[in-house]
Amino acid sequence: DAGVIQSPRHEVTEMGQEVTLRCKPISGHNSLFWYRQTMMRGLELLIYFNNNVPIDDSGMPEDRFSAKMPNASFSTLKIQPSEPRDSAVYFCASRAGFMNTEAFFGQGTRLTVV
Amino acid sequence: ELKVEQNPLFLSMQEGKNYTIYCNYSTTSDRLYWYRQDPGKSLESLFVLLSNGAVKQEGRLMASLDTKARLSTLHITAAVHDLSATYFCAVFQGAQKLVFGQGTRLTINP
């Protein structure tokens, strides 16, 4: 299995532009998480899905952030418009639906907004 | 709201020494996870602890869980440089929401 796949690995964009991050979870996993990691705030859970349905988006910082999971093999996190304070590493993780399994992380997308 | 707190946040130690990282969490849970993150890399699962008294060992690392005290420990024995990384513990809030501690940045000096 290729693991959780995220794209792009690096993204540099100008303030005000739209940014879309992509994630392909491990096949057969039915829970998907989006995290943001910064030095100041550590690992923050933004949103998670179960069976493609958003369960908790209370971690999404503002309305500029949105996430979708149109099917079991694909999810996007969109920021529109982007701001310099959105610069961070964004991780996607997936997990099989059993209670005791751990989450597996993708390689992350390093976003820089200038 | 679940809070997960690690102690210490930074740890510098010499090779060959032993040390322990602590993870406290604020609400009842019987599942706890430890992850390792190397600089610029993703998070790698180390241990899955599923019940009170659970103990797992891998090489020089040993993790344990005390659900009554809401405490997990990650013990490092005879540290080597390759163990330098940031270590995170994580706990589920409810069935699905995985909450991480702040991380402990471990530096092992020759």
Side-chain angles (χ1 to χ4, degrees):
Chain A
D1 197 319
V4 177
I5 300 173
Q6 292 186 244
S7 64
R9 294 290 308 277
H10 302 274
E11 176 84 30
V12 180
T13 191
E14 291 186 346
M15 182 173 62
Q17 296 298 306
E18 177 180 297
V19 176
T20 300
L21 311 181
R22 297 173 175 80
C23 176
K24 177 179 167 55
I26 293 171
S27 177
H29 284 191
N30 63 351
S31 293
L32 184 140
F33 306 82
W34 281 101
Y35 287 88
R36 177 171 68 176
Q37 186 176 36
T38 60
M39 288 294 293
M40 292 296 294
R41 300 175 69 91
L43 265 170
E44 301 173 275
L45 177 62
L46 301 178
I47 185 171
Y48 68 96
F49 296 83
N50 194 46
N51 293 323
N52 311 339
V53 176
I55 303 299
D56 186 340
D57 65 354
S58 59
M60 297 284 261
E62 301 171 30
D63 290 345
R64 299 184 296 107
F65 286 69
S66 63
K68 294 182 180 179
M69 191 166 186
N71 56 61
S73 59
F74 184 65
S75 177
T76 60
L77 177 68
K78 185 178 293 186
I79 308 171
Q80 165 63 17
S82 57
E83 296 182 4
R85 59 195 168 119
D86 301 331
S87 298
V89 180
Y90 291 81
F91 286 104
C92 174
S94 72
R95 174 174 173 260
F98 307 108
M99 289 283 287
N100 299 329
T101 58
E102 70 266 50
F104 294 88
F105 280 74
Q107 292 301 305
T109 295
R110 182 175 295 277
L111 173 65
T112 304
V113 183
V114 298
Chain B
E1 182 76 15
L2 171 63
K3 292 191 187 305
V4 182
E5 295 186 343
Q6 292 183 228
N7 176 46
L9 300 183
F10 298 92
L11 177 57
S12 181
M13 53 192 294
Q14 286 188 318
E15 281 191 327
K17 300 293 186 182
N18 303 333
Y19 210 81
T20 300
I21 299 170
Y22 298 89
C23 173
N24 288 94
Y25 52 97
S26 61
T27 63
T28 301
S29 178
D30 58 0
R31 296 171 289 150
L32 188 137
Y33 304 82
W34 284 97
Y35 286 82
R36 168 180 172 149
Q37 185 179 35
D38 291 304
K41 303 292 186 182
S42 185
L43 282 81
E44 173 191 355
S45 177
L46 284 176
F47 297 112
V48 178
L49 302 170
L50 299 177
S51 61
N52 186 42
V55 177
K56 294 279 185 73
Q57 183 162 5
E58 179 75 30
R60 301 173 187 274
L61 299 178
M62 183 173 71
S64 65
L65 178 61
D66 181 343
T67 59
K68 294 178 181 177
R70 300 177 185 169
L71 171 69
S72 179
T73 60
L74 180 65
H75 187 72
I76 303 141
T77 301
V80 294
H81 180 68
D82 287 352
L83 292 179
S84 296
T86 299
Y87 293 86
F88 292 91
C89 61
V91 179
F92 274 99
Q93 178 175 316
Q96 298 167 355
K97 184 174 182 177
L98 188 57
V99 179
F100 281 79
Q102 312 98 306
T104 296
R105 184 177 295 180
L106 174 63
T107 302
I108 299 170
N109 305 302

